[in-house]
Amino acid sequence: MTTMRESRSVTGPMVVVSPSDPADPASHSHAGAQKKTASKPAERVTAIEMGARQREISVSEFFTKNRHLLGFDNPRKALLTCVKEAVDNALDACEEAGILPDVTVRLEVVPIDGVTPPASQATRFRVTVTDNGPGIVRQQIPRIFAKLLYGSKFHRLRMSRGQQGIGISAAGMYAQLTTGKPVRIISRIGPRAAAHFFEVQIDTKKNEPLVHESKQIEWDQPRGTQVTMEIEGRYQKGRASVDEWLEQTSIANPHAKLIYYTPEGEIKEYTRAYHELPPSPREIKPHPYGIEFGMFLKMVQETKSHTVVGFLASDFCRISPQLADQICRQAKISPEMKPRDLKGSAAETLYRTIQSTKIMAPPTNCLSPIGEKAILAGLYKQIKGEFYTAVTRPPAVYRGNPFVIEAGLAYGQRPDEHNKPEQPAAPRAEGEHEEDDVELARVIRYANRVPLLYQQSACATFKAVLGLSWKNYGVAQARGALPAGPMVIFVHMASVWVPFTSESKEAIADYDEIHKEITLALRECGRRLGIYLRRRERAASEYRRRNIFELYIEEVVEACNRLKGGTLPKEKLKKQLQTIAVSRTGGIKTDEVLGKTGEGPEGLPHSIIVTEGGAEGDVVVGTKLDGGGEEAGIGQSRDGHTDHGGGLASGSKSDGGKSGGIRPSWRQNQRERFTGEDEKNKTRKGERPSSRASNGAVRRSRKVTA
Amino acid sequence: MMTKTKKPTTVEKKLVGLADLVIQAAERSKDPTLQIPIRALSNVSFNERKGMIEMGDKKQARSFFNIGMAKKFMQTMLVADALAELQRADLTTSLREIYYRTKHTIRDSHENTFDTQDESDPIIEDLEVTLSALREELHVRAENAGSIVGPVVFGDDGDRVDCSKLGKGGYSVPSIVEPEYLEIRRCTADFVLLVEKGTQWNRLSEDKFWRRYNCILLTGNGQPPRGVRRLARRLHEEQGLPIYVLVDNDPWGYYIYSVVKQGSINLAFESQRMAIPKAKFMGLSSADPERYGLPRNVGIKLNDKDVARAKELMNYQWFKKPAWQAEIKRMLTSGLKYELDALANKDFQYLTKQYLPRKLREQDWLD
């Protein structure tokens, strides 16, 4: 990336002029000028001259010109990207340090010539993101914020939101480019340390930070980081807005508390609905299946091992010394050979042999899925519905990269809401009908807990949603369209390396393995929704039946009365007919099915059902399926409990339910505390830090009355 | 039939009987159920001796406590109530007015008793057959959708209507033509020509065809309404006039003829007083284009619906006569249908001056 030849068109006048055609009348007006050029031989550039112009391009310069690659295509998206990069960094830092994140996002309109335009008209914004994270040590601050491709996340295989170390510095560069203002940072690593204030910019030529200001200041926060950027942007609500992004972020990160000061002066608070940090993902070594040959050669050259066996066994995961030995023998390479001597065809043979050897799937403790209960909590908190369910799939692998797919569903309207608009019962005229609601489902997509807002149709998740026949689950779906209905479909992919279709991280590439996992997860969600809907439908149809009779009895009685000349004992006839109606519509049973006497989430695992009586189900209730930690690789047998309390028979067939056991029990009602380095190191195989529990604030019991 | 006393009429008694049925069922905790004769092909038979379609005795139950029928049951009671109201007030009304009279929004709901007239019309027919009361007896009238011209004199509400002195517009046939309403005072015509289309009736009336051939020209503007059919039947029965039917050459024309002749499937119970088994099919026959030299290019290609309908007709018992089978087959083979209007291709007055005279002269008709 650092040495890029400039394209020829910029290099110089390489124009080849064809001799003008006298027969072409259009060329006449230019004939004089053209003759002059044509008479001279075309100017040519020598290789030496060209060589003089060829020089290195810094990454920063490259991205200055190609900012759309990083999500700064237009002012509206740029505003979102800046918020996104800062919030992603904040959440990553907090989680890595074991801190429940409190993140504040403040968007302010910057006055131009002393006039503050309304937010919707404004073109300049100040973005401030503050977190309660671990802070950044003083020396690193300039480089983190003002040097592209600098960071901690690129070189390791571990799940995190950021991957490349471009984001925040690119945002800073965008600020510099559009407003000329430096990025301002305040950071403090602890109550005893001083808070540092920095103003930095990027030297785009060298891709090095330029420090404008550096001083110690007083800061009211004991710990954390605050970054402020002034950028050109546009604020517009609706689809793919900052508001939507933050809302979706809070769904997938129910453990985070987000406070958002909108540029219009509103304060939106997304509360913490889940009081456990996601388990800290661990770093893994690359899996041999995920390495391309070029990369393999590079690793061969760079390894610290002295033998090929040692190299294989120590630089890759899932290759034991025995297996390494076996591979060497199969490739007819001496196990004791120095890796550096491995060249040409021998290296290729070894690579091929590795690829054809059966190797256990990579460990999956590098992943940190959100978990069913947390997804439920997030959906329940943010989306108003009557039915929620969530599925976490067991880990799977694409190209040697482990990943986990999670899906969730929120369906319907809260009972108290869909009663309201019906109130004004205006009589309908001929030809008027109840408006058919053709609202389509909304798909919310996440990669490593980060919402994806753009390029929906290019995304594997969206394709999988379209590919599923939702009709099987009682949801209408037009051919090749999203399912119809008041529904939000949640899909999350957690992976050490999410395969995005572009650098701006907007859509997940459609690998077969990924597609399949998404489909399986959605199918399980759909199945549960189907059961729920069918039950609801059955009860409702009985209810409707009775309703219809009750509705018509009145009419029939009135008609009979008029026919009899108004002499009929109306009440008597009405009672008689009503008695017949009740006895013919399932009697009291119908009342029960209708939810007045409902109990539990109706045997649906990891689901919430909201009725007029309140929410039932798995809101933050401890799961019965503890165990079976995420440590279990794909080829491994699970050591977790397999009993599937209260689940549906078919529910235990699918693996969906089991991996829900990742969550520690919430029952340890302990004071929230920060897990330091020590605790993080202790956390290994199955030994979940159940102590990182909740502070016991908002929690719903099995049945909470609204 | 139309007693103007305050004593309840027979029809009114029958209507009140429906209320009694509901009350009695409720007394005994039974589901109130009406038995409605089925108005469909499955419940009609062709009486060959009488030459008309008769209704069978198959009935369908319409019960209140059946989710699929509850609304219809309720609607039936509402219509019955409205009809009883007409009886008591001694008024006649239209189908559409019945619809409006019975339409309201059910209390505490968004639901209307009727959403469109399409829902109330069949219920009136249901009641006609259930109570075996004629529509006239129910005081429901149809549109005045027919015209008559020719040497016939009617008495209508005490007025003398001489149909030979009504210019080319003629007399508009009322929907109720029972003797109490319409009296045939004098008739000197030799036959009745029932024309499907108003346009061709206008042609014949304008050309004073009736004067030259001493006939009555009658039209129902398409499928003739009850009034027109009943009047034709009365002219046939009381005045002994033969009836000739002139329709387009297509399956629908054939069916119009068959309704005039044998009665309709839907209202088979009315055949008794509507059907004219001796009516003749004058044209347009599928043999006419050749016989009268109509060019092929004035034909219209039969569409899929036409073909299906034609095949359906061939299966009706009353079209089983060999001449008719041949007639329909000929149309299917040619693949074309012809409108009466197509005769104008030869001459504007071809129908009056050539076609009909030749038909009458050659007695070229189908039975």
Side-chain angles (χ1 to χ4, degrees):
Chain A
M1 217 184 281
T2 43
T3 51
M4 198 171 289
R5 273 185 63 172
E6 284 181 298
S7 80
R8 277 186 171 227
S9 55
V10 204
T11 321
M14 296 273 295
V15 194
V16 180
V17 182
S18 60
S20 67
D21 179 3
D24 179 9
S27 64
H28 272 272
S29 51
H30 305 286
Q34 287 202 347
K35 254 174 208 162
K36 250 184 190 173
T37 357
S39 60
K40 272 188 193 172
E43 234 179 277
R44 304 255 174 215
V45 183
T46 63
I48 298 154
E49 280 174 305
M50 282 166 76
R53 292 188 193 129
Q54 287 158 351
R55 61 187 168 84
E56 196 178 341
I57 302 163
S58 108
V59 206
S60 330
E61 281 179 306
F62 176 75
F63 281 118
T64 308
K65 280 193 175 168
N66 294 297
R67 59 192 197 194
H68 55 275
L69 294 178
L70 295 173
F72 298 94
D73 337 17
N74 58 59
R76 181 168 185 239
K77 199 165 163 189
L79 182 66
L80 170 63
T81 306
C82 287
V83 172
K84 172 175 136 60
E85 296 299 348
V87 173
D88 283 355
N89 278 4
L91 292 175
D92 267 349
C94 289
E95 282 165 23
E96 202 170 337
I99 300 164
L100 279 172
D102 283 346
V103 178
T104 307
V105 177
R106 189 189 291 270
L107 294 189
E108 292 160 292
V109 176
V110 177
I112 298 170
D113 302 329
V115 185
T116 313
S120 58
Q121 308 287 309
T123 54
R124 229 178 229 221
F125 291 87
R126 190 178 299 117
V127 178
T128 308
V129 175
T130 316
D131 64 51
N132 62 341
I136 304 165
V137 290
R138 202 179 68 86
Q139 304 87 309
Q140 291 291 6
I141 291 174
R143 267 177 295 207
I144 283 178
F145 290 96
K147 184 175 168 73
L148 287 173
L149 294 173
Y150 187 88
S152 57
K153 300 166 193 170
F154 187 74
H155 296 279
R156 60 181 191 192
L157 282 174
R158 178 182 187 274
M159 175 184 153
S160 57
R161 291 177 179 78
Q163 286 179 336
Q164 282 126 328
I166 296 180
I168 190 67
S169 28
M173 205 168 68
Y174 175 77
Q176 183 178 331
L177 212 65
T178 54
T179 66
K181 294 279 165 63
V183 180
R184 278 179 289 168
I185 301 117
I186 303 172
S187 190
R188 189 170 184 184
I189 56 172
R192 283 190 213 147
H196 292 281
F197 175 83
F198 273 85
E199 274 191 17
V200 293
Q201 281 197 322
I202 299 187
D203 179 341
T204 49
K205 279 231 169 66
K206 295 185 199 141
N207 185 24
E208 284 297 332
L210 289 171
V211 178
H212 285 246
E213 178 84 66
S214 160
K215 61 185 179 193
Q216 285 191 13
I217 56 155
E218 289 291 311
W219 201 34
D220 53 3
Q221 263 187 240
R223 192 195 58 228
T225 305
Q226 172 175 306
V227 53
T228 306
M229 292 174 279
E230 204 171 307
I231 59 159
E232 207 162 80
R234 223 162 80 73
Y235 176 75
Q236 194 185 349
K237 288 181 181 173
R239 272 185 60 80
S241 60
V242 173
D243 303 51
E244 190 190 12
W245 187 83
L246 284 170
E247 189 193 333
Q248 291 193 13
T249 301
S250 102
I251 293 173
N253 299 277
H255 63 286
K257 177 177 162 193
L258 301 176
I259 298 171
Y260 169 38
Y261 295 85
T262 73
E264 286 164 345
E266 262 180 277
I267 302 174
K268 290 189 185 171
E269 192 171 337
Y270 302 99
T271 51
R272 207 188 312 283
Y274 199 73
H275 297 266
E276 288 162 28
L277 268 172
S280 171
R282 305 178 73 208
E283 205 176 321
I284 60 164
K285 285 181 207 133
H287 190 274
Y289 286 175
I291 297 287
E292 262 128 27
F293 182 57
M295 184 69 184
F296 179 75
L297 280 181
K298 191 172 153 248
M299 288 175 74
V300 164
Q301 294 308 310
E302 288 172 357
T303 183
K304 285 174 193 148
S305 302
H306 299 291
T307 62
V308 174
V309 170
F311 159 66
L312 291 178
S314 59
D315 284 19
F316 291 101
C317 68
R318 298 302 197 211
I319 298 190
S320 61
Q322 292 90 329
L323 186 62
D325 201 55
Q326 189 194 319
I327 291 171
C328 288
R329 235 170 301 142
Q330 204 155 5
K332 303 206 165 59
I333 288 169
S334 160
E336 302 305 318
M337 192 176 170
K338 276 190 186 164
R340 234 152 295 222
D341 297 340
L342 199 62
K343 284 203 174 88
S345 61
E348 213 172 324
T349 318
L350 181 62
Y351 178 75
R352 289 247 170 78
T353 316
I354 295 172
Q355 296 305 310
S356 58
T357 310
K358 200 168 157 43
I359 301 167
M360 188 187 283
T364 51
N365 54 353
C366 52
L367 299 178
S368 167
I370 304 170
E372 279 135 348
K373 276 191 291 135
I375 296 174
L376 281 179
L379 287 173
Y380 182 68
K381 176 180 70 140
Q382 224 50 59
I383 293 166
K384 294 196 154 73
E386 54 190 271
F387 176 76
Y388 303 83
T389 191
V391 168
T392 299
R393 293 283 309 159
V397 174
Y398 81 93
R399 267 185 38 203
N401 295 310
F403 69 96
V404 166
I405 293 295
E406 297 179 284
L409 254 182
Y411 185 91
Q413 298 141 328
R414 289 262 158 94
D416 46 313
E417 275 156 29
H418 58 143
N419 287 341
K420 271 174 200 161
E422 284 183 31
Q423 285 311 320
R428 267 205 306 277
E430 190 172 322
E432 270 182 342
H433 297 286
E434 265 178 288
E435 272 174 43
D436 288 332
D437 221 353
V438 283
E439 181 193 355
L440 291 182
R442 194 156 69 101
V443 182
I444 53 178
R445 306 169 289 135
Y446 297 88
N448 288 348
R449 294 164 182 266
V450 180
L452 308 175
L453 297 189
Y454 286 91
Q455 293 201 22
Q456 173 169 265
S457 52
C459 189
T461 57
F462 186 72
K463 288 178 189 167
V465 171
L466 290 189
L468 204 63
S469 0
W470 290 90
K471 279 183 187 159
N472 297 347
Y473 311 122
V475 182
Q477 183 186 25
R479 182 186 286 271
L482 284 172
M487 181 158 65
V488 174
I489 300 166
F490 170 106
V491 184
H492 174 227
M493 172 171 181
S495 178
V496 287
W497 193 261
V498 178
F500 288 109
T501 57
S502 69
E503 292 88 336
S504 48
K505 297 192 193 174
E506 286 162 351
I508 299 172
D510 198 9
Y511 281 93
D512 284 351
E513 297 90 337
I514 297 173
H515 191 101
K516 182 184 148 217
E517 281 296 316
I518 299 172
T519 303
L520 288 172
L522 288 173
R523 214 176 264 166
E524 176 62 20
C525 286
R527 208 182 55 78
R528 292 180 198 161
L529 175 67
I531 293 172
Y532 167 78
L533 287 179
R534 274 193 298 279
R535 280 191 199 145
R536 217 25 57 116
E537 180 54 38
R538 214 160 12 190
S541 81
E542 279 299 294
Y543 183 68
R544 230 178 356 249
R545 261 160 57 103
R546 185 181 306 172
N547 249 358
I548 280 174
F549 295 146
E550 270 170 17
L551 213 58
Y552 296 162
I553 281 171
E554 185 83 34
E555 292 292 329
V556 169
V557 169
E558 286 297 334
C560 286
N561 183 39
R562 284 192 300 265
L563 276 169
K564 297 293 284 178
T567 57
L568 197 73
K570 281 196 288 183
E571 285 308 312
K572 186 180 149 210
L573 180 60
K574 209 159 120 184
K575 278 234 175 64
Q576 287 169 334
L577 290 174
Q578 276 163 350
T579 318
I580 306 176
V582 171
S583 70
R584 280 173 187 263
T585 48
I588 307 157
K589 263 186 200 159
T590 300
D591 294 338
E592 283 172 8
V593 192
L594 277 167
K596 267 128 200 166
T597 56
E599 48 179 309
E602 304 182 11
L604 293 172
H606 302 293
S607 303
I608 302 173
I609 292 171
V610 183
T611 62
E612 278 163 49
E616 304 157 24
D618 221 346
V619 184
V620 194
V621 181
T623 171
K624 298 164 191 163
L625 318 163
D626 275 4
E630 88 272 33
E631 194 70 21
I634 288 127
Q636 278 181 325
S637 66
R638 288 166 184 285
D639 54 350
H641 308 295
T642 43
D643 63 45
H644 209 69
L648 293 164
S650 48
S652 46
K653 264 183 241 156
S654 85
D655 259 339
K658 284 182 195 166
S659 44
I662 290 166
R663 297 280 150 208
S665 165
W666 60 275
R667 284 176 211 278
Q668 276 92 354
N669 185 9
Q670 289 196 5
R671 194 169 51 82
E672 173 184 358
R673 60 190 171 102
F674 306 126
T675 38
E677 281 299 307
D678 295 356
E679 172 140 7
K680 229 173 71 188
N681 293 341
K682 270 191 284 175
T683 312
R684 64 171 84 88
K685 286 207 173 190
E687 206 181 276
R688 293 267 127 255
S690 56
S691 50
R692 283 198 210 138
S694 60
N695 59 7
V698 189
R699 187 180 311 129
R700 287 166 226 268
S701 65
R702 227 165 213 291
K703 185 162 178 175
V704 182
T705 36
Chain B
M1 203 178 287
M2 269 304 305
T3 50
K4 295 189 178 179
T5 59
K6 273 167 198 160
K7 252 176 78 184
T9 59
T10 343
V11 174
E12 190 189 340
K13 278 184 200 149
K14 286 178 184 171
L15 289 166
V16 174
L18 296 178
D20 290 327
L21 188 139
V22 175
I23 295 162
Q24 279 158 24
E27 270 317 321
R28 279 178 275 143
S29 296
K30 289 266 163 60
D31 189 355
T33 304
L34 302 176
Q35 296 295 335
I36 298 171
I38 294 173
R39 295 178 289 114
L41 184 61
S42 63
N43 193 31
V44 296
S45 57
F46 180 60
N47 185 326
E48 225 149 325
R49 196 175 49 78
K50 290 193 197 158
M52 57 177 72
I53 297 170
E54 285 181 338
M55 188 139 105
D57 42 20
K58 280 192 213 156
K59 289 188 176 165
Q60 99 195 85
R62 174 171 299 166
S63 33
F64 184 33
F65 292 109
N66 174 314
I67 200 70
M69 303 182 199
K71 184 159 193 183
K72 270 208 167 153
F73 188 95
M74 178 270 290
Q75 291 173 332
T76 311
M77 296 309 293
L78 288 178
V79 171
D81 172 36
L83 292 175
E85 188 186 337
L86 282 178
Q87 294 290 329
R88 284 177 194 136
D90 191 22
L91 295 169
T92 65
T93 189
S94 66
L95 292 171
R96 188 125 186 101
E97 280 177 339
I98 295 267
Y99 158 64
Y100 281 127
R101 181 72 189 132
T102 51
K103 177 169 189 165
H104 56 262
T105 301
I106 299 169
R107 212 170 63 192
D108 301 329
S109 80
H110 306 273
E111 201 177 323
N112 287 330
T113 50
F114 293 90
D115 280 323
T116 64
Q117 196 189 332
D118 299 343
E119 292 176 46
S120 64
D121 287 359
I123 286 182
I124 294 168
E125 292 179 349
D126 285 343
L127 284 173
E128 285 176 48
V129 294
T130 309
L131 307 176
S132 39
L134 298 171
R135 189 169 292 184
E136 294 77 28
E137 293 174 312
L138 293 175
H139 291 200
V140 179
R141 52 185 149 74
E143 302 274 322
N144 292 1
S147 305
I148 187 170
V149 69
V152 58
V153 179
F154 295 120
D156 181 358
D157 274 357
D159 295 335
R160 184 173 184 276
V161 182
D162 184 347
C163 293
S164 61
K165 295 204 166 70
L166 291 171
K168 50 180 173 290
Y171 172 61
S172 166
V173 180
S175 75
I176 301 178
V177 294
E178 294 309 315
E180 309 90 87
Y181 292 85
L182 194 74
E183 175 195 355
I184 303 176
R185 290 196 184 161
R186 205 164 71 90
C187 178
T188 56
D190 294 332
F191 64 93
V192 175
L193 186 64
L194 178 55
V195 188
E196 174 186 351
K197 280 190 169 162
T199 53
Q200 298 311 305
W201 183 89
N202 280 336
R203 157 69 44 227
L204 294 168
S205 171
E206 193 180 302
D207 294 350
K208 300 290 178 215
F209 178 84
W210 58 271
R211 192 164 282 162
R212 200 183 153 120
Y213 288 90
N214 192 30
C215 64
I216 293 170
L217 294 176
L218 193 56
T219 183
N221 293 315
Q223 179 69 263
R226 289 158 192 248
V228 171
R229 284 171 59 198
R230 178 72 185 135
L231 185 59
R233 163 76 178 256
R234 283 188 63 201
L235 289 168
H236 172 71
E237 219 168 40
E238 295 168 25
Q239 307 295 322
L241 303 182
I243 309 288
Y244 300 105
V245 180
L246 185 63
V247 294
D248 284 347
N249 180 231
D250 59 28
W252 321 102
Y254 292 153
Y255 189 67
I256 287 173
Y257 159 73
S258 90
V259 166
V260 171
K261 191 177 168 82
Q262 288 104 0
S264 75
I265 296 169
N266 195 25
L267 296 171
F269 67 100
E270 292 207 318
S271 298
Q272 290 293 350
R273 35 173 230 117
M274 298 275 211
I276 310 164
K278 285 189 179 150
K280 303 282 187 281
F281 177 80
M282 176 85 84
L284 224 42
S285 154
S286 56
D288 289 347
E290 201 193 322
R291 219 173 289 167
Y292 291 84
L294 275 181
R296 198 182 145 74
N297 60 16
V298 300
I300 301 170
K301 188 177 175 296
L302 289 174
N303 61 33
D304 296 347
K305 262 164 117 185
D306 294 330
V307 172
R309 183 76 178 124
K311 288 184 176 159
E312 214 176 337
L313 291 181
M314 285 178 79
N315 282 327
Y316 289 160
Q317 214 185 330
W318 49 96
F319 277 115
K320 286 290 185 197
K321 290 175 194 162
W324 270 105
Q325 294 283 319
E327 166 74 24
I328 300 173
K329 245 180 224 159
R330 202 181 305 119
M331 180 178 71
L332 285 171
T333 322
S334 76
L336 295 176
K337 57 184 179 184
Y338 290 86
E339 291 183 286
L340 279 169
D341 316 55
L343 293 168
N345 180 258
K346 301 189 79 78
D347 185 282
F348 279 125
Q349 291 185 309
Y350 190 79
L351 177 72
T352 338
K353 300 224 164 128
Q354 304 283 329
Y355 181 81
L356 283 176
R358 183 173 155 193
K359 278 266 170 186
L360 289 166
R361 196 169 59 240
E362 293 176 1
Q363 303 208 337
D364 174 21
W365 47 67
L366 279 168
D367 187 20

